[in-house]
Amino acid sequence: MSQTAPIEMSTSCVFASEWDLYDTYRRLSYEDEEAELDYEDLDIEVYGAEVSLQVSSSLQRQSITSDLSSISVSNELQPIIASRKANIQANKVMKLPEFQYAATVAERLLASNSFHCQQIAFMGTQPDSQEIATGFHYIMKELWTFSYQESKHRIVNAISWNTVNINVVAVGYGYVRGSEELDGLVCCWSVKNPSQPERVFHMRSPVTTISFSRTQPNLLALGCYNGAVIVLNIASNTGDKLVVTGEEGCLRYGPVGHLLWFFHTDFVLETEEIISVGKTGRVYKWNYTESYRSYEIMKLSYFQPTVKITTPKKNKKTVRLKNNLKYFNGLSVSLHPKKHMVYYVSTQEGSIIKCSMNHQDRFEDIFPAHAGPVYGVLHSPFCANIFCTYGSDWLICIWAEGLKEPLLKLYYTKQPVLSVAWSPIHSTILASISGHYLSMWDLARRTIVPISTVKSSTGNVFTSLQFANTGKNILAGDVAGDVFVFNLVDMPYPPFLQEEALIRALQKALVSKPQHRSYLENFMKTK
């Protein structure tokens, strides 16, 4: 028989229902306020359990309570909870504006490693070469391409530079070729990060035209194929829509061909509004600051010639006269630089219509311009009486206000001229796109052929064109959704008297048209 005292043993049991476990997990979630983790989202189902504890005599002095807060989560659930907790915290951090701004700056710094030399050339801050210049060669050097996965196979319909920030450009895309979904896309690119857009906005209809506000550079107006006119606030990542006019579809407005911002004065206050023209033959004015209202300011209507129709009736012939009211299909609009109430509209029928906002029931003037659709009309930024038109008849026409015949006709390829842009720093230079070619013209040098030409590196057709605000770069978009950035090298210096330089260049080219030369001379004298 052993001389030692026997060891006393006891068994204690604690029962925990599913409600006790639920309350325990809820208490733990409340204690971690930073994570705010809800255990119901973890898809963990806990049922009733019975916990039995075998306590030795050496542990008898310790009190056993039924407080289940001391029960820890099992080792199998800890990795799942930790992973879900980390995901929730990461999502919250990524939604913070401070984090998004820091990520944008980091992306720009990384992009500068690959595009540093190109960005210096774009800004025109590279040091002057020590070589002696032998002439002006008008070289268009490709720097990079704005390309995005979601914009692939979308037609680039419009390009607009920000009016204040020279590094920001907006691009409007149409629908994806070969797709049944007719949606659109707007991307805001920055020169500081050419690898990907910093703002992406999806539209329910293909985007046909875009334009930045001049007084509020954070506002971007865009027109869609379904007739909607939308103003976006690009300062917000979500693109707050300040005005949405028929985003679901406006059959009465028709596809928006072109829109622009302009200053409207009502003899009391000057406000910035939007003017748009569509294929229904109507010109609208949009006020986004007052009840989001639109006003019809012009109907581009005309009567077809009287048609005589002979119909038999009881072996007799009667003559019936039929008048058809038709509407011009408006394609683009251009505001007069000095006469703020006057604007020009190009039409698909080949005519140019001069209108005034003071006379909404009649045209100021109308004249034929091209043998086909006129895709655009654009005034010179330096001479208010000079403007150009371009269309499907392969021609670029230079006009003077008051003349019914063009001063010059520029021609290069047997393909439609889809876009033309005047240089913002040189009065005699303009660029055009037709087919696969990007051409540059200098009216002071020669007008028979372009002074410089570049062919698309991808073989796609160019569809949109725009000079940068600095005038030292050109952007050209194509049918595949790519936007090419070209830097202008070996260009002539801008003239001191821009308007006189343009008039002298036109007079020099009009040797065979003395009546037009005299018109320009009289214009310079009466100026």
Side-chain angles (χ1 to χ4, degrees), residues 455-509:
K455 189 176 181 180
S456 173
S457 58
T458 59
N460 295 319
V461 176
F462 290 117
T463 58
S464 185
L465 175 70
Q466 191 66 261
F467 266 96
N469 295 337
T470 59
K472 301 177 182 179
N473 304 277
I474 296 178
L475 269 68
D478 62 8
V479 296
D482 296 328
V483 180
F484 300 91
V485 181
F486 296 92
N487 181 238
L488 306 182
V489 184
D490 292 342
M491 298 292 294
Y493 297 102
F496 180 73
L497 301 175
Q498 296 275 11
E499 186 176 10
E500 291 186 6
L502 177 58
I503 298 299
R504 299 304 179 192
L506 293 175
Q507 288 179 341
K508 180 180 178 182

Side-chain angles (χ1 to χ4, degrees), residues 82-134:
S83 177
R84 181 61 62 88
K85 180 179 177 180
N87 292 336
I88 294 177
Q89 290 179 340
N91 292 333
K92 290 183 178 180
V93 171
M94 287 187 292
K95 292 180 181 180
L96 295 176
E98 295 81 2
F99 177 82
Q100 294 178 356
Y101 177 75
T104 301
V105 174
E107 290 176 353
R108 292 176 178 178
L109 293 175
L110 294 175
S112 64
N113 295 333
S114 303
F115 299 96
H116 180 67
C117 297
Q118 293 91 326
Q119 290 172 339
I120 292 178
F122 181 91
M123 300 303 296
T125 56
Q126 57 186 359
D128 297 335
S129 176
Q130 299 298 328
E131 298 179 0
I132 300 176
T134 58

Side-chain angles (χ1 to χ4, degrees), residues 25-43:
Y25 286 133
R26 293 290 294 179
R27 189 182 302 110
L28 292 175
S29 64
Y30 291 145
E31 291 176 357
D32 193 0
E33 295 181 356
E34 295 181 357
E36 296 182 0
L37 182 61
D38 190 355
Y39 285 91
E40 291 179 345
D41 297 336
L42 298 179
D43 299 332

Side-chain angles (χ1 to χ4, degrees), residues 6-312:
I7 300 176
E8 296 180 0
M9 305 287 295
S10 64
T11 302
S12 298
C13 297
V14 178
F15 177 80
S17 66
E18 57 180 339
W19 302 107
D20 296 328
L21 295 177
Y22 177 81
D23 294 338
T24 302
Y25 286 133
R26 293 290 294 179
R27 189 182 302 110
L28 292 175
S29 64
Y30 291 145
E31 291 176 357
D32 193 0
E33 295 181 356
E34 295 181 357
E36 296 182 0
L37 182 61
D38 190 355
Y39 285 91
E40 291 179 345
D41 297 336
L42 298 179
D43 299 332
I44 300 175
E45 298 181 358
V46 182
Y47 300 93
E50 182 177 355
V51 181
S52 300
L53 301 176
Q54 300 292 334
V55 183
S56 61
S57 59
S58 61
L59 301 177
Q60 288 181 358
R61 299 178 182 177
Q62 298 181 0
S63 62
I64 302 176
T65 63
S66 60
D67 187 4
L68 294 180
S69 61
S70 61
I71 301 177
S72 61
V73 183
S74 63
N75 295 332
E76 297 180 356
L77 300 181
Q78 285 182 355
I80 301 177
I81 297 175
S83 177
R84 181 61 62 88
K85 180 179 177 180
N87 292 336
I88 294 177
Q89 290 179 340
N91 292 333
K92 290 183 178 180
V93 171
M94 287 187 292
K95 292 180 181 180
L96 295 176
E98 295 81 2
F99 177 82
Q100 294 178 356
Y101 177 75
T104 301
V105 174
E107 290 176 353
R108 292 176 178 178
L109 293 175
L110 294 175
S112 64
N113 295 333
S114 303
F115 299 96
H116 180 67
C117 297
Q118 293 91 326
Q119 290 172 339
I120 292 178
F122 181 91
M123 300 303 296
T125 56
Q126 57 186 359
D128 297 335
S129 176
Q130 299 298 328
E131 298 179 0
I132 300 176
T134 58
F136 305 116
H137 302 91
Y138 300 86
I139 299 175
M140 291 183 286
K141 181 181 178 182
E142 183 176 341
L143 296 180
W144 66 75
T145 303
F146 288 128
S147 181
Y148 186 50
Q149 183 64 30
E150 295 187 19
S151 65
K152 286 294 184 183
H153 307 295
R154 292 181 181 268
I155 301 177
V156 179
N157 288 329
I159 301 174
S160 178
W161 282 95
N162 192 277
T163 54
V164 175
N165 193 336
I166 61 175
N167 297 320
V168 177
V169 59
V171 181
Y173 300 89
Y175 64 92
V176 179
R177 292 182 299 168
S179 175
E180 297 181 356
E181 297 183 2
L182 298 180
D183 59 345
L185 188 70
V186 176
C187 293
C188 294
W189 297 86
S190 175
V191 176
K192 299 179 181 180
N193 184 14
S195 58
Q196 63 180 8
E198 296 189 351
R199 296 287 190 275
V200 179
F201 309 112
H202 294 84
M203 300 297 156
R204 299 179 182 178
S205 179
V207 179
T208 57
T209 177
I210 57 176
S211 179
F212 270 109
S213 170
R214 286 180 285 180
T215 58
Q216 303 182 65
N218 61 309
L219 299 184
L220 176 66
L222 55 96
C224 299
Y225 187 79
N226 64 349
V229 174
I230 304 173
V231 178
L232 294 176
N233 180 14
I234 66 169
S236 173
N237 292 331
T238 58
D240 298 334
K241 297 176 182 178
L242 300 184
V243 74
V244 180
T245 306
E247 188 180 7
E248 299 294 339
C250 301
L251 297 179
R252 72 185 185 95
Y253 296 120
V256 182
H258 192 210
L259 59 78
L260 290 173
W261 294 83
F262 75 102
F263 292 100
H264 174 71
T265 304
D266 57 358
F267 304 103
V268 177
L269 182 65
E270 185 180 54
T271 59
E272 190 178 23
E273 298 182 351
I274 302 172
I275 183 173
S276 68
V277 62
K279 294 186 178 181
T280 58
R282 292 171 172 81
V283 182
Y284 289 97
K285 181 181 68 172
W286 306 86
N287 187 342
Y288 70 96
T289 60
E290 181 182 343
S291 303
Y292 305 152
R293 299 182 61 183
S294 62
Y295 305 88
E296 183 181 296
I297 60 176
M298 179 60 70
K299 290 183 179 180
L300 307 177
S301 59
Y302 67 98
F303 282 96
Q304 279 188 339
T306 303
V307 179
K308 295 183 179 181
I309 301 177
T310 304
T311 58

